[in-house]
Amino acid sequence: AQKVTQAQTEISVVEKEDVTLDCVYETRDTTYYLFWYKQPPSGELVFLIRRNSFDEQNEISGRYSWNFQKSTSSFNFTITASQVVDSAVYFCALKGSGGSNYKLTFGKGTLLTVNP
Amino acid sequence: NAGVTQTPKFRVLKTGQSMTLLCAQDMNHEYMYWYRQDPGMGLRLIHYSVGEGTTAKGEVPDGYNVSRLKKQNFLLGLESAAPSQTSVYFCASSTLGTGDMWPQHFGDGTRLSIL
C-alpha cells in the first residue's frame, strides 16, 4: 500500500520568512513519482513539480526548492522569502509503477498562511 | 484548449435527491478520475476509468456510480444523496504511460452541499 504523510497540518509565517513543508512517503515500488500541488483560496489545484525515483537531484525554481531524499523517503518543499500570494494548501502526492500506477495518492495537505 | 471542465460548479441538494456531475476533457486522455476533498482529509479517489467503457472503484466508492460512455466524458452519479456526501468534487484526467508524462490535469471542482 502507498501512503503519503504531511505531518504539518497548518503553518503560519510572516512575509519574507523561509518555510519548509514536509512530505514523507511509503511505497514498495522501486520506480515511483512524487508530486507537489498548490491549492490557493480560489480552490483549483495547480501542479508545481514532478520528480521520479531515479532522480535525486534537488530542484530550484525561483523561490521554490525541493529536497528529495530516498534514504529518508522524504520530498520536502521549501519556499524562500515567502510572500502573501504563497498562502495556500499544499499537497504532496505519490504515483507508483506497479498495480497502483494509475492513480495519485495524496497527503492530507498543509495549510500555509503567510501574513504581511 | 479548455483542459478539464466540470459541470456544475456549485449545487445544493436535499437528502435523497439524485444528481449527476459531468466531467469533460479535451486532451484525448485515456485515464479519468473522480476525487472528493474534505477538510483535513486531502483528496480521496472515488472511482476511476482507464478507458472508454471501463470503470473501477477507488478508495471511497460507496454511494456513487460512474459511467464512461465516451472517451472525453466521465460522469459521477449520486442516486440518493446523503449529508455525508457534502464535499468538493474534483475530476482529473491523465495520459497512459510513465509518471514522466504526468501530472494529472484537474478540473476546478464542484462544491456540493447536501441538506
Side-chain angles (χ1 to χ4, degrees):
Chain A
Q2 298 188 137
K3 186 177 179 181
V4 175
T5 301
Q6 295 180 254
Q8 305 149 309
T9 305
E10 295 186 35
I11 300 176
S12 181
V13 299
V14 177
E15 204 169 19
K16 297 184 182 179
E17 285 186 23
D18 299 346
V19 58
T20 296
L21 309 182
D22 297 333
C23 173
V24 174
Y25 62 91
E26 296 176 28
T27 181
R28 294 182 178 178
D29 293 337
T30 54
T31 300
Y32 52 89
Y33 304 84
L34 295 161
F35 302 78
W36 276 94
Y37 286 85
K38 174 182 180 180
Q39 187 177 42
S42 50
E44 73 274 20
L45 284 159
V46 179
F47 165 74
L48 295 178
I49 190 173
R50 172 190 57 240
R51 174 65 71 219
N52 75 52
S53 54
F54 295 115
D55 182 2
E56 290 192 68
Q57 279 191 322
N58 293 328
E59 181 157 340
I60 298 174
S61 176
R63 296 183 297 106
Y64 294 172
S65 63
W66 291 268
N67 182 0
F68 176 32
Q69 292 194 341
K70 288 181 74 171
S71 60
T72 56
S73 297
S74 64
F75 187 42
N76 296 337
F77 173 29
T78 298
I79 302 175
T80 303
S82 60
Q83 300 176 0
V84 173
V85 294
D86 295 326
S87 296
V89 180
Y90 291 86
F91 292 99
C92 181
L94 167 69
K95 175 188 176 304
S97 58
S100 57
N101 66 346
Y102 55 84
K103 67 165 187 167
L104 288 174
T105 298
F106 285 85
K108 294 183 178 181
T110 298
L111 172 62
L112 173 65
T113 303
V114 181
N115 299 297
Chain B
N1 188 349
V4 178
T5 303
Q6 291 183 229
T7 310
K9 297 191 183 309
F10 304 94
R11 187 74 184 270
V12 178
L13 290 178
K14 294 182 180 179
T15 297
Q17 287 186 317
S18 63
M19 80 160 295
T20 300
L21 306 183
L22 172 62
C23 177
Q25 54 96 2
D26 61 4
M27 295 170 283
N28 202 35
H29 284 168
E30 291 292 333
Y31 294 171
M32 295 188 74
Y33 312 80
W34 277 106
Y35 292 89
R36 60 178 289 175
Q37 182 183 17
D38 302 294
M41 297 298 292
L43 276 79
R44 294 181 293 170
L45 183 64
I46 305 171
H47 285 281
Y48 65 98
S49 169
V50 300
E52 182 178 324
T54 71
T55 63
K57 295 180 179 179
E59 303 169 61
V60 288
D62 294 343
Y64 305 96
N65 56 73
V66 288
S67 64
R68 183 100 181 266
L69 299 180
K70 293 183 178 181
K71 185 178 184 179
Q72 63 269 33
N73 295 337
F74 195 30
L75 279 62
L76 178 70
L78 286 73
E79 290 188 348
S80 180
S84 61
Q85 294 177 304
T86 294
S87 188
V88 179
Y89 292 85
F90 284 95
C91 178
S93 70
S94 64
T95 60
L96 289 169
T98 67
D100 281 341
M101 298 176 67
W102 284 40
Q104 289 181 336
H105 297 261
F106 286 87
D108 289 339
T110 295
R111 188 171 297 274
L112 183 61
S113 294
I114 315 297
L115 304 179

